[in-house]
Amino acid sequence: SVEDEQEFIRLAALEKLTDQESITKVAEDDADPAVRKVAIAKLFKQETLASIVINDTVLVNRQTALALITNQTSIAVIAAEADDSALRLTAIGKLTNQTALASAATDDDTPANRVAALAKLTDQKAITQVASGDEEIFIRCLAIKKLTDKKVLREFVQDDAEDSQIRRAAREQLTKLKQ
């Protein structure tokens, strides 16, 4: 039985289980992380997997669940809400939704995650927002190098209050676009 005290008996019982509700109970509630991991690998309900990524206490189980998620809505929730920056980064890598990527590029508290989201962004309005507002100059410069709107770039070049690195990046991007 999956409720037996012995881990090996619970694992053997789990191998035979096909009912997603029972597997979910084991994945969420079993005391042994190894048993939970085996159960997680048998799950396919995206919301359940996302809940495990957010709530499980064992990183490898969270990673296992995240690897199985394909639903963009679930991935976006993880990219925004996971407490572990590496999990958020993995989720950002799986994102294709431009709105969710824009949120990650502007809101994630880890610079590497904002850079990863920016790299996948194609929405010029969102890229402009990063270029205008990120707290890290190097991220703003990376965003400017993705801009294609010459008017916006000229505004960066002409803004005397703007950091010299930002103005230079905008000038370089304008020159590149003229070629």
Side-chain angles (χ1 to χ4, degrees):
S1 158
V2 292
E3 296 182 7
D4 195 280
E5 287 184 22
Q6 298 292 321
E7 173 189 335
F8 72 94
I9 293 174
R10 292 196 315 275
L11 283 169
L14 182 57
E15 286 300 319
K16 295 175 185 170
L17 273 183
T18 56
D19 172 47
Q20 286 289 297
E21 191 174 316
S22 299
I23 295 168
T24 297
K25 185 171 177 8
V26 175
E28 292 176 338
D29 299 335
D30 197 279
D32 189 300
V35 175
R36 288 198 316 270
K37 183 179 178 191
V38 172
I40 290 165
K42 294 184 76 167
L43 289 173
F44 53 79
K45 189 174 178 188
Q46 298 290 292
E47 296 81 14
T48 303
L49 290 165
S51 174
I52 289 167
V53 174
I54 299 295
N55 298 313
D56 201 286
T57 57
V58 178
L59 183 59
V60 70
N61 289 354
R62 298 170 82 185
Q63 292 167 330
T64 300
L66 181 52
L68 296 169
I69 298 175
T70 57
N71 176 282
Q72 285 292 302
T73 302
S74 296
I75 294 168
V77 167
I78 293 162
E81 297 179 12
D83 60 355
D84 183 279
S85 66
L87 287 171
R88 291 194 313 274
L89 181 61
T90 300
I92 289 166
K94 295 178 82 165
L95 275 177
T96 57
N97 179 291
Q98 288 292 302
T99 303
L101 284 167
S103 291
T106 56
D107 299 337
D108 197 291
D109 61 355
T110 304
N113 292 3
R114 295 196 308 273
V115 169
L118 174 62
K120 297 183 78 174
L121 260 181
T122 57
D123 179 282
Q124 288 291 301
K125 185 176 179 182
I127 293 168
T128 301
Q129 187 177 354
V130 174
S132 299
D134 199 278
E135 62 192 38
E136 300 287 344
I137 295 290
F138 82 95
I139 294 176
R140 293 181 65 202
C141 288
L142 289 173
I144 286 171
K145 291 178 182 177
K146 292 189 71 156
L147 289 174
T148 57
D149 186 331
K150 293 177 184 176
K151 181 177 182 251
V152 170
L153 287 164
R154 278 190 214 96
E155 289 172 9
F156 279 113
V157 170
Q158 295 168 353
D159 185 351
D160 288 338
E162 199 56 81
D163 184 276
S164 63
Q165 293 176 62
I166 299 297
R167 291 195 313 271
R168 181 173 49 248
R171 269 194 307 276
E172 289 171 0
Q173 183 65 3
L174 270 172
T175 302
K176 182 179 171 188
L177 291 173
K178 289 177 184 174
Q179 296 175 355

